[in-house]
Amino acid sequence: MFLRSLEIINNTGINSYPFNIPAIKNLVSLRFEKNVTFLVGENGSGKSTILEAMAYQCGFNTAGGSKNNNYEVDASHSVLGDHLRLSWMPKVTNGFFMRAETFYHFASHLDTMPESLRHYGGRSLHEQSHGEAFLSLFSHRFGNQAIYILDEPEAALSPARQLALLRIIKEMENDAQFIIATHSPILLGYPNAQILNFDAQPVQNIRYEDTLHYIVTRRFLENREKVLNEVFSD
């Protein structure tokens, strides 16, 4: 494990976004206890904002990419980034920030550097389906001695390909660190991972079986008709 913890600094008296998000407003520090950590919480709970700030502090492109990917996307600047302190042991400089919402722009950026495509399977990510492009990134670009910050990587992946991503993570777990924001109960099922709940104040560890993602999915699968009747009733 490389990144041990993060700390919010110099935020006293700031009440504007993103410091007014409850999870961030009440956050002093987070400690990473495993090589694989998941961030869970409802939309708007601050997961992606924290990941973006972490990527900023790592020197990665906050629109998605590594230190070597220089391109711009509107609204990709991290306001929180200057108020974050990361604690490393040891510090690594290799890694990647993957954000699903700007992946199209990242793929277009790669097309301007054809020599780089060999690191992503040898062909344009735009020539592959969305899910294939995601897996090409995970399979070909990821390596050891690095940190990978992933924002909702399940967005374009079928359940079977989410399992394929879990296999990739497992093969690298001892030599890389993953910090992942997700809504996927499949990804969250990764064995012995740390899960941080951004719906709790302050943010705290949560068991897989206690996550809302697991509870809602299990209830739906075990009694689909009852759940749908509740959803559709007035």
Side-chain angles (χ1 to χ4, degrees):
M1 198 167 66
F2 307 113
L3 181 60
R4 300 292 174 154
S5 64
L6 65 80
E7 179 184 3
I8 304 290
I9 60 174
N10 301 326
N11 64 329
T12 303
I14 304 177
N15 297 313
S16 57
Y17 179 86
F19 300 95
N20 55 2
I21 298 174
I24 295 175
K25 181 178 181 179
N26 297 309
L27 182 63
V28 176
S29 63
L30 284 180
R31 183 169 182 83
F32 301 105
E33 302 169 354
K34 303 288 184 67
N35 276 17
V36 179
T37 300
F38 291 103
L39 312 186
V40 299
E42 269 298 338
N43 296 330
S45 62
K47 308 182 304 299
S48 297
T49 303
I50 283 288
L51 289 191
E52 183 182 69
M54 291 170 59
Y56 173 85
Q57 279 294 328
C58 289
F60 303 154
N61 191 322
T62 55
S66 68
K67 290 186 174 182
N68 299 319
N69 299 123
N70 298 312
Y71 68 103
E72 294 185 6
V73 173
D74 289 343
S76 66
H77 176 67
S78 174
V79 176
L80 183 61
D82 290 325
H83 297 266
L84 209 66
R85 177 186 293 145
L86 304 183
S87 296
W88 303 84
M89 189 184 297
K91 184 173 183 178
V92 294
T93 57
N94 294 326
F96 195 93
F97 176 42
M98 182 269 177
R99 56 189 305 172
E101 65 178 340
T102 56
F103 188 78
Y104 177 90
H105 301 284
F106 173 73
S108 298
H109 164 67
L110 284 186
D111 283 348
T112 68
M113 305 182 300
E115 70 282 359
S116 297
L117 293 178
R118 60 188 176 89
H119 299 297
Y120 300 87
R123 62 190 177 111
S124 171
L125 297 180
H126 283 312
E127 295 177 1
Q128 306 173 54
S129 73
H130 206 181
E132 288 173 334
F134 273 38
L135 275 188
S136 288
L137 169 66
F138 303 144
S139 300
H140 300 288
R141 175 60 177 77
F142 287 10
N144 295 330
Q145 301 300 308
I147 184 169
Y148 297 102
I149 302 171
L150 312 180
D151 190 11
E152 299 185 11
E154 76 276 11
L157 300 180
S158 68
R161 285 182 168 166
Q162 291 181 45
L163 293 174
L165 173 56
L166 290 183
R167 182 181 179 90
I168 293 170
I169 294 173
K170 186 63 178 176
E171 291 173 348
M172 299 174 55
E173 179 183 4
N174 293 330
D175 298 297
Q177 184 174 3
F178 293 86
I179 301 175
I180 305 169
T182 185
H183 294 291
S184 167
I186 293 177
L187 296 187
L188 287 174
Y190 189 87
N192 301 314
Q194 178 185 18
I195 304 176
L196 291 170
N197 181 18
F198 273 63
D199 287 334
Q201 306 303 323
V203 175
Q204 58 190 250
N205 289 329
I206 187 172
R207 294 173 60 249
Y208 172 60
E209 291 82 5
D210 293 332
T211 63
L212 192 60
H213 310 70
Y214 173 86
I215 293 170
V216 171
T217 302
R218 178 177 178 178
R219 184 166 180 260
F220 181 84
L221 293 176
E222 290 180 346
N223 203 333
R224 175 168 53 93
E225 291 185 1
K226 181 179 179 180
V227 172
L228 289 177
N229 284 337
E230 293 173 357
V231 171
F232 297 152
S233 63
D234 294 330

